[in-house]
Amino acid sequence: MQLEFYGGAGEVTGSCHVLVVGGRRLLLDCGLIQGGEAPLERNRAPFPFDAAQVDAVVLSHAHIDHCGRLPLLTKRGFRGPVYASPACRDLVRILLADSANMQERDTERENRRRRRDGDKRMVEPLYTLDDALGVMQQFRAVGYGQPVEVLPGVELTFRDAGHILGSTSVWLVLREGSVERRIVFSGDVGQYDTPILRDPEPGPAADLVLMESTYGDRLHRDRAATLEELGGILREARRDGGNVLIPAFAVGRSQELLYELATHYDAWRLGDWQVFLDSPMAIEASTVYWRHAELFDEEAQQWHARLRSLPLLPNLKLCRTAEESMAINRISHGAIVIAGSGMCTGGRIVHHLKHNLSRPECDVVFSGFQAQGTLGRAIVERRDYVRIHGSPVKVEARVHTLGGFSAHGDRQDLLRWYGAIPGRPPVWLVHGESGAAQALCDALRADGVKAEVAQPGVAVDLGAAA
Ligand SMILES: [Zn+2]
């Protein structure tokens, strides 16, 4: 009986761990590697195990750094079931289709470049839309709190992780001969008291915990202060007579922003605005959220029940087509535009930035992390000029960064989640850059907990671990 760390150990993307029980192999997540050095090559490289020898996969949630290499796993021979919560499965379908489209587009661009340079070696996409839709046939949906035997000797129970809709922490009971071990994989843990979603759910005692550590070294800004700031920005923006652009991730952040706009509609005087959700993917993801209102927290459920026959916001326009999106560019003032991508690396937000960024009466509001090297980061750093579609654009609009929105819990949330597991079991930390993981490790050790930062390729003997 053993646990092997592969991806998402010592870094934040490419989550993937292997459990070996009774000679069978279970994968925890199968995520795409994003950012860092040579992600394309790393994603293309052979898996450090034989895909055909994997018997089942358990997905903690739908983010692409947790599920984005599943189609590749199937392409390379995996034929077993993929266990996920029902809402997770519905979101995975949207995210994998988008990821496949992106892979196909990127490959076409790369091949055009190679042809121009006289290079005859063409590249293939990591996977196609057909591959992505094909893997969906292998999904088995399992609701929260329902124990299921996923392999002989492996029983799984999902619990709500409060991170995005349908996100789970995975409780596993492993049996091999007379040995029984209880393992918990945290998945990504959300913030407590976040809107729409329920709090991360506690579970029973365990022998070993595999825990994420993304913000293991940080505390988030207070939510109420963040909302007050957003309200203030919108009120002032209306006075200045421009537009407000909000770059946002399609799944999670877009729905959270719409929810805050809807619940603060009067307080923030939003009746004076036209609000655009300019992202087919965010619209689709919102439909999935809406269909799974049974997973909302109490406040959001009451709000949902009240809204059943009303529009979400009376002045919200959902833009699916490119024509609808381009029409927004003719509006000079009074538009709030929510569009992707969240870090402005592509997508419709880039066009809106091109039209509004050099206008001092406009505002750009960031609510998510902006990685080094992205257009979003350059704007947040308030460079004088940024390059958009190859041309310099002066940054004259007001730029704001809201600190309180995060799908991830901070250090305090992570310690609270761990603290709710009885018995203070030993911890292996994953899914964090080394500084964050080490800081959380130190905090746990200072509290008398046996903690280690997981290293890729390392295997833990679970028979001996307890
Ligand atoms: Zn996540």
Side-chain angles (χ1 to χ4, degrees):
M1 203 186 275
Q2 95 177 16
L3 173 61
E4 298 159 9
F5 308 115
Y6 289 115
E11 61 182 332
V12 285
T13 69
S15 177
C16 185
H17 312 289
V18 178
L19 267 170
V20 185
V21 182
R24 291 195 167 76
R25 290 174 166 269
L26 176 74
L27 236 59
L28 299 174
D29 286 344
C30 190
L32 199 72
I33 298 160
Q34 298 170 296
E37 245 171 75
L40 246 177
E41 286 69 23
R42 291 181 65 203
N43 281 317
R44 268 175 209 287
F47 288 103
F49 44 80
D50 182 356
Q53 299 294 316
V54 172
D55 296 288
V57 175
V58 174
L59 276 194
S60 65
H61 65 288
H63 277 148
I64 213 71
D65 60 324
H66 292 257
C67 72
R69 270 193 299 172
L70 259 187
L72 194 63
L73 191 74
T74 295
K75 231 173 118 173
R76 294 181 179 170
F78 166 63
R79 295 290 172 267
V82 179
Y83 291 91
S85 77
C88 172
R89 175 203 53 199
D90 295 350
L91 290 175
V92 166
R93 191 189 306 274
I94 299 171
L95 282 155
L96 281 186
D98 178 70
S99 173
N101 283 330
M102 216 145 61
Q103 314 280 355
E104 293 189 79
R105 263 199 319 267
D106 287 355
T107 317
E108 268 169 45
R109 195 181 311 124
E110 173 65 17
N111 285 339
R112 267 201 308 276
R113 191 188 66 79
R114 289 186 177 207
R115 248 177 254 123
R116 244 193 344 260
D117 296 350
D119 187 344
K120 289 205 173 65
R121 296 166 308 153
M122 296 294 113
V123 285
E124 294 239 316
L126 206 55
Y127 48 83
T128 62
L129 186 58
D130 279 348
D131 297 326
L133 296 177
V135 79
M136 297 312 300
Q137 310 292 326
Q138 288 164 260
F139 272 65
R140 309 267 184 285
V142 179
Y144 293 134
Q146 299 170 10
V148 213
E149 187 173 63
V150 294
L151 287 174
V154 181
E155 186 190 276
L156 154 97
T157 309
F158 282 137
R159 294 180 203 282
D160 198 336
H163 170 62
I164 57 168
L165 191 82
S167 67
T168 64
S169 296
V170 183
W171 257 258
L172 294 163
V173 184
L174 315 175
R175 294 186 189 95
E176 194 179 272
S178 60
V179 181
E180 182 181 294
R181 292 285 179 269
R182 290 164 185 266
I183 308 279
V184 186
F185 172 42
S186 69
D188 286 357
V189 178
Q191 290 198 64
Y192 289 79
D193 299 320
T194 212
I196 309 179
L197 303 175
R198 292 187 191 143
D199 282 349
E201 213 180 335
D207 300 308
L208 188 139
V209 173
L210 194 58
M211 179 161 82
E212 69 123 325
S213 54
T214 315
Y215 288 119
D217 58 348
R218 249 175 287 176
L219 295 177
H220 293 321
R221 196 162 167 237
D222 177 50
R223 178 106 199 163
T226 301
L227 289 176
E228 204 165 299
E229 191 184 347
L230 179 56
I233 292 167
L234 294 175
R235 272 192 295 269
E236 263 177 50
R238 194 68 189 110
R239 232 184 4 244
D240 297 337
N243 295 322
V244 177
L245 307 183
I246 312 183
F249 299 108
V251 177
R253 187 56 41 79
S254 290
Q255 290 73 37
E256 202 178 331
L257 283 163
L258 284 178
Y259 177 80
E260 296 298 2
L261 293 180
T263 49
H264 294 86
Y265 187 79
D266 293 325
W268 296 348
R269 289 186 224 132
L270 295 177
D272 299 340
W273 293 90
Q274 288 178 275
V275 182
F276 297 91
L277 181 60
D278 187 19
S279 159
M281 190 172 156
I283 295 167
E284 248 188 285
S286 302
T287 312
V288 173
Y289 266 69
W290 206 246
R291 261 210 318 271
H292 287 285
E294 79 281 359
L295 303 177
F296 290 1
D297 66 12
E298 213 172 303
E299 228 177 311
Q301 281 199 359
Q302 284 170 9
W303 167 79
H304 179 258
R306 273 200 310 277
L307 274 183
R308 205 160 287 160
S309 55
L310 292 167
L312 189 62
L313 282 162
N315 49 356
L316 173 67
K317 177 141 177 44
L318 304 177
C319 302
R320 288 188 175 82
T321 67
E323 289 72 30
E324 287 169 321
S325 175
M326 285 188 290
I328 301 172
N329 291 327
R330 291 197 288 274
I331 303 172
S332 63
H333 62 278
I336 297 174
V337 185
I338 302 171
S341 71
M343 298 192 203
C344 312
T345 48
R348 294 178 174 181
I349 193 70
V350 179
H351 296 271
H352 301 308
L353 287 166
K354 198 171 163 183
H355 281 85
N356 293 284
L357 199 56
S358 58
R359 301 174 55 210
E361 67 274 27
C362 290
D363 292 77
V364 186
V365 183
F366 288 93
S367 64
F369 179 71
Q370 304 299 311
Q372 204 99 44
T374 60
L375 175 58
R377 180 66 163 259
I379 298 171
V380 163
E381 286 173 351
R382 293 181 174 77
R383 307 246 177 97
D384 290 343
Y385 287 91
V386 293
R387 288 195 90 75
I388 299 181
H389 298 144
S391 312
V393 176
K394 198 159 200 296
V395 183
E396 294 272 23
R398 265 181 315 255
V399 178
H400 315 268
T401 304
L402 299 175
F405 285 91
S406 177
H408 282 274
D410 61 12
R411 174 196 183 87
Q412 212 172 335
D413 293 319
L414 289 169
L415 291 172
R416 180 172 167 185
W417 179 85
Y418 171 78
I421 302 169
R424 301 163 69 76
V427 182
W428 286 88
L429 293 165
V430 292
H431 204 280
E433 282 170 7
S434 56
Q438 196 55 53
L440 190 61
C441 187
D442 293 344
L444 287 162
R445 282 179 183 167
D447 205 22
V449 177
K450 212 175 142 207
E452 291 288 343
V453 177
Q455 299 302 329
V458 165
V460 181
D461 180 355
L462 295 175

